Amino acid sequence: MALVNYAKKEIQFKIVYYGPGMCGKTTNLQIVHDQIPADAKGKMASLATSQDRTLFFDFLPLKSEAISGFVTKFQMYTVPGQVKYNSTRKLVLRNCDGVVFVADSQLDKMQDNIESLENLAENLREQNNDLDTMPLVIQYNKRDLPNIAPTPYMDFLLNKGTFKVPTEEAAAFRGDGVMPTLNTIAKLVLQDFIEKKNS
């Protein structure tokens, strides 16, 4: 849920990168952080554990003039990939405005992707949200590796809901597809906010 601060003329949106362990969520945010000009970003905070690279979240505000007279800020978070951190996932998802689901393109990771997407849907339902109405982009990451699933197969497994969502192919480790993914989710979040405001 966007936070509108009329005194500061600021609208704050929360975007969450979700997906199975080691799929590239943290790498996405690191690349974004590296590519954003220094005066337009905050510090990135990360907590690492021995089991998972990110236990809690990465934080990064982006500023842009998107709605007349207001500064738009995006706070970007990642969730831990491992199921045992589900309570943390729920906490990070609370009041989010959009989700990037990062899927691992390797064939042997398809079940992990499916389980993580189902977990996302379940956690959103618990917060009275719906995957079909939440601004969502699915990123097919690790396209640079051998033994990857064809994109139509990944669409069949992961993008078969009532509403098809935008997808982006990426090799986040190289920086490929990271900024297009961010641009797509940012547009969806802004469109959703404007539609709700005008309804």
Side-chain angles (χ1 to χ4, degrees):
M1 178 191 285
L3 295 174
V4 182
N5 185 326
Y6 290 96
K8 286 186 176 178
K9 290 282 194 183
E10 185 177 286
I11 304 171
Q12 199 171 89
F13 296 103
K14 179 178 180 180
I15 294 173
V16 176
Y17 280 66
Y18 208 97
M22 306 303 284
C23 66
K25 302 178 295 292
T26 301
T27 304
N28 265 274
L29 261 64
Q30 288 168 336
I31 296 291
V32 170
H33 192 266
D34 289 346
Q35 293 193 13
I36 298 292
D39 62 348
K41 65 185 175 187
K43 289 185 179 175
M44 188 157 60
S46 176
L47 294 172
T49 68
S50 57
Q51 290 84 21
D52 202 319
R53 281 197 297 179
T54 307
L55 174 59
F56 193 51
F57 65 85
D58 295 332
F59 173 74
L60 170 67
L62 301 174
K63 297 178 184 177
S64 65
E65 277 287 339
I67 296 171
S68 181
F70 281 80
V71 173
T72 306
K73 283 188 178 179
F74 293 94
Q75 289 187 335
M76 298 169 58
Y77 295 81
T78 64
V79 297
Q82 293 192 0
V83 176
K84 66 182 176 179
Y85 297 123
N86 198 44
S87 59
T88 305
R89 288 181 186 173
K90 290 178 185 179
L91 185 66
V92 174
L93 264 182
R94 189 172 297 151
N95 297 322
C96 79
D97 299 292
V99 175
V100 173
F101 184 83
V102 182
D104 190 323
S105 291
Q106 296 174 94
L107 278 166
D108 63 349
K109 299 293 184 183
M110 291 304 114
Q111 190 58 39
D112 292 346
N113 291 329
I114 292 166
E115 288 171 8
S116 187
L117 190 60
E118 288 170 354
N119 175 257
L120 169 61
E122 181 184 319
N123 286 342
L124 285 173
R125 272 193 304 273
E126 283 184 24
Q127 298 179 15
N128 296 318
N129 273 315
D130 190 335
L131 201 57
D132 282 340
T133 56
M134 172 68 66
L136 172 69
V137 174
I138 301 176
Q139 182 190 80
Y140 298 148
N141 192 26
K142 302 191 179 183
R143 300 305 295 171
D144 54 327
L145 297 182
N147 200 27
I148 57 170
T151 52
Y153 180 62
M154 294 188 76
D155 279 335
F156 172 75
L157 293 178
L158 304 173
N159 197 12
K160 58 185 178 186
T162 312
F163 304 102
K164 296 271 188 219
V165 301
T167 59
E168 297 283 349
E169 291 190 31
F173 189 73
R174 298 193 317 213
D176 298 346
V178 171
M179 296 310 282
T181 301
L182 174 60
N183 290 336
T184 302
I185 192 61
K187 284 178 192 167
L188 289 178
V189 164
L190 290 167
Q191 285 169 3
D192 185 63
F193 175 77
I194 291 164
E195 284 170 15
K196 286 175 179 169
K197 192 171 85 98
N198 294 334
S199 62

